[in-house]
Amino acid sequence: MSKKNAVIKLCSLQVSLALLLAACGGGGGEQANSVEQEGGKQGKPTQISILSSFYSQEPPSEDNPIIKEIEKRTNTKLNIAWTSSNNYTDKLNVTLASGELPDLILTTDPLNSSVIKGMAAQGAFWDLTNLYKNYPNLAKFPEETWKNLAYADGHNYGIPRVRPVYGQNGLSIRRDWLDKLGLKMPTNMDELYEAMKAFTNNDPDGNGKNDTYGVILNIRAFENVFNKTIGDWKVQDGKLVPTVYLSTEKDALMYANKLYKEKLIPEDFLMLKPSQILDMLKAGKAGVATQAIDQVWNITAELRKQKPDAYMEPIVSLNGVSETEIGSFGMFLIPKTVPEAKLKKIMEFMDYGASAEGSDLANFGFKDVHFVEKDGFKIPTEQAVKDNVSQQAFGQIFLSYNKYLKAYVPGIPKEYYDRHVKIMDERAKNAVNDPSVGVDSEAWIKFWPEYNKKITDMKLHVIMGKEPIEKWDAFVNQLKTEPNFTKIVQEMSESYVKRNSTKK
């Protein structure tokens, strides 16, 4: 038995046991619930235990003024197990395996967690598919977000930690280098190639040295453009097809191989860590990269310390393609061990967090204490830092939907914020989706990691010229004959059809 399957079976056993105990103790649960309801009428706070992550230097303290205010406004008493994002997955797995589940549980990767999916299938979590529609602020979350987080049965088992769907990720380019070299903003891959070639060979920074690269390669971004999809799958004739089968995948590899041969990308691109890539961009050593739109301004701000007119500008689209996100950074689960009356109180609590008032309180605190307003922006004060008030703290639990969330970063001038908003709107017009989101396959879980490694290795060998493109054709033809790979394709396509036939 594999380690992953063993974990699933263990969690399923524990969930079944927990549900059995809950059923056997139903009278006590109902009694406790009745007391809580009665207490609620008298103003007694509802106790809610939460497992969540934080990104600030320290987790919010028990006497945090924002948490106290949230408790007051929602008539709750919160017991939050704050866990650093660095080891959150480990904490989550330990908690799930323990069977002693808090009332509200954050899972950061619900669509790829076989443990969470297995527990949901066992009935461990409340089905929120129709329930969330009764809460006005949660119902305002994009329909795409709720659909993307639905499992293969078409049901929702968690509340999205909502994020923008459109426009936040994609390729960006040095606009000041384009202007200096007399080039226009590229709209297709041929124009992008000409720009990257000029960035490498024509001294765009004017220092008289051959020390710049056209691009820090992200093969996935190029694949998405050529294949006009996101990820490893594309819909053809109503079925899912792996992108390795597509002729456009071959085009993407040949394109990347051309960049590598002409040294438009760093020779050691495989060895570069994300922090090193960011350092190269901030040092002005590359003209094209894949970055989130908020990070683009952070890079620009750093570049402007040396070159005042520098600007890393987000590209709207290439070949009429721009990327989308699933619209969340995980979701909050509510275990079925929570009584139904308390479930409704938790939904009210999260609905308040999705309101403008609740979200502003959690992320910005009190006006003129934790923030001041300037040009329509909420600017944090030193007191906000002292009181740990930010999206990195309680903002990990409460956040209203704002499709332009990533357009703003502290310090961005209003004119550039407005420009990025327009770019996000334009990107939405050319958006393509990842059709495999929420699709399930036992064969995929079992066999895909090994196949993915083989596919990735072959791609890199072709890009770096270690294998001719003909070897790619032979490799793909071999995949088509292998029973396990064929099983993956069959199950993924069947799950896709089923999932989309059950969408709300």
Side-chain angles (χ1 to χ4, degrees), residues 320-365:
V321 173
S322 60
E323 298 184 12
T324 60
E325 298 295 310
I326 64 173
S328 75
F329 182 20
M331 66 185 187
F332 284 94
L333 307 157
I334 304 175
K336 210 56 178 299
T337 49
V338 172
E340 186 172 1
K342 188 171 184 179
L343 162 70
K344 294 178 180 179
K345 181 63 180 179
I346 292 172
M347 293 295 289
E348 291 174 5
F349 172 76
M350 294 300 285
D351 188 67
Y352 176 74
S355 70
E357 177 186 315
S359 180
D360 283 354
L361 176 61
N363 290 274
F364 300 105

Side-chain angles (χ1 to χ4, degrees), residues 83 282 349:
T83 304
K282 289 179 177 179
F349 172 76

Side-chain angles (χ1 to χ4, degrees), residues 200-501:
T200 304
N201 300 322
N202 296 352
D203 192 23
D205 59 357
N207 68 355
K209 300 177 182 179
N210 185 19
D211 60 352
T212 54
Y213 292 100
V215 62
I216 300 181
L217 182 63
N218 183 328
I219 181 60
R220 175 63 79 192
F222 291 164
E223 288 174 307
N224 291 343
V225 172
F226 276 99
N227 295 329
K228 295 193 173 183
T229 189
I230 294 179
D232 298 307
W233 301 87
K234 184 171 182 174
V235 179
Q236 287 190 335
D237 299 324
K239 298 180 180 180
L240 277 190
V241 176
T243 54
V244 294
Y245 287 3
L246 306 178
S247 62
T248 48
E249 176 64 37
K250 182 177 175 180
D251 295 337
L253 296 179
M254 293 174 66
Y255 185 91
N257 171 252
K258 183 178 181 180
L259 302 183
Y260 186 82
K261 285 193 300 185
E262 297 183 12
K263 299 182 179 181
L264 308 189
I265 60 178
E267 195 170 11
D268 61 346
F269 73 94
L270 284 178
M271 307 300 292
L272 294 175
K273 299 177 181 178
S275 60
Q276 292 174 307
I277 292 174
L278 198 57
D279 289 342
M280 287 184 67
L281 291 170
K282 289 179 177 179
K285 297 303 180 184
V288 177
T290 302
Q291 295 290 336
I293 200 165
D294 53 345
Q295 186 62 259
V296 167
W297 181 258
N298 290 331
I299 294 169
T300 296
E302 196 65 30
L303 288 168
R304 289 191 169 190
K305 293 178 181 179
Q306 303 296 328
K307 193 172 186 299
D309 66 337
Y311 179 35
M312 197 83 183
E313 181 171 349
I315 298 174
V316 170
S317 67
L318 293 165
N319 290 357
V321 173
S322 60
E323 298 184 12
T324 60
E325 298 295 310
I326 64 173
S328 75
F329 182 20
M331 66 185 187
F332 284 94
L333 307 157
I334 304 175
K336 210 56 178 299
T337 49
V338 172
E340 186 172 1
K342 188 171 184 179
L343 162 70
K344 294 178 180 179
K345 181 63 180 179
I346 292 172
M347 293 295 289
E348 291 174 5
F349 172 76
M350 294 300 285
D351 188 67
Y352 176 74
S355 70
E357 177 186 315
S359 180
D360 283 354
L361 176 61
N363 290 274
F364 300 105
F366 301 114
K367 184 177 180 180
D368 297 327
V369 176
H370 297 113
F371 71 92
V372 294
E373 290 189 346
K374 182 179 180 181
D375 296 330
F377 299 142
K378 294 180 175 65
I379 310 300
T381 64
E382 291 184 6
Q383 192 63 40
V385 177
K386 292 179 181 178
D387 287 342
N388 199 0
V389 180
S390 71
Q391 187 182 333
Q392 313 308 315
F394 205 92
Q396 292 299 305
I397 301 175
F398 276 8
L399 188 67
S400 62
Y401 175 65
N402 175 7
K403 67 178 181 178
Y404 302 123
L405 175 69
K406 295 294 183 177
Y408 173 77
V409 290
I412 188 172
K414 182 69 162 52
E415 62 177 300
Y416 284 95
Y417 170 81
D418 291 341
R419 182 181 299 189
H420 288 186
V421 163
K422 291 179 180 178
I423 289 172
M424 294 180 76
D425 285 339
E426 289 300 312
R427 283 179 168 181
K429 298 176 183 178
N430 301 282
V432 296
N433 302 303
D434 180 351
S436 69
V437 168
V439 174
D440 282 332
S441 163
E442 289 295 327
W444 184 87
I445 293 172
K446 187 175 182 180
F447 302 119
W448 182 257
E450 181 180 353
Y451 277 117
N452 188 48
K453 184 179 185 307
K454 290 180 180 179
I455 292 169
T456 300
D457 288 346
M458 179 56 72
K459 287 178 181 179
L460 293 174
H461 287 166
V462 171
I463 291 170
M464 300 173 73
K466 294 181 178 181
E467 296 285 4
I469 195 64
E470 291 75 19
K471 281 291 186 71
W472 173 258
D473 294 330
F475 174 75
V476 173
N477 289 333
Q478 177 62 32
L479 285 178
K480 292 180 178 179
T481 68
E482 296 188 12
N484 290 339
F485 196 81
T486 302
K487 187 68 171 174
I488 291 173
V489 176
Q490 177 186 344
E491 289 185 1
M492 289 289 285
S493 188
E494 289 174 352
S495 178
Y496 171 82
V497 172
K498 178 182 178 181
R499 184 177 187 273
N500 283 272
S501 67

Side-chain angles (χ1 to χ4, degrees), residues 55-66:
Y55 287 82
S56 50
Q57 289 187 344
E58 299 290 340
S61 61
E62 291 185 5
D63 61 348
N64 182 279
I66 300 306

Side-chain angles (χ1 to χ4, degrees), residues 22-36:
C24 292
E30 291 297 326
Q31 182 178 5
N33 185 47
S34 297
V35 171
E36 183 168 44

Side-chain angles (χ1 to χ4, degrees), residues 15-26:
V15 170
S16 298
L17 179 60
L19 292 174
L20 179 62
L21 291 174
C24 292

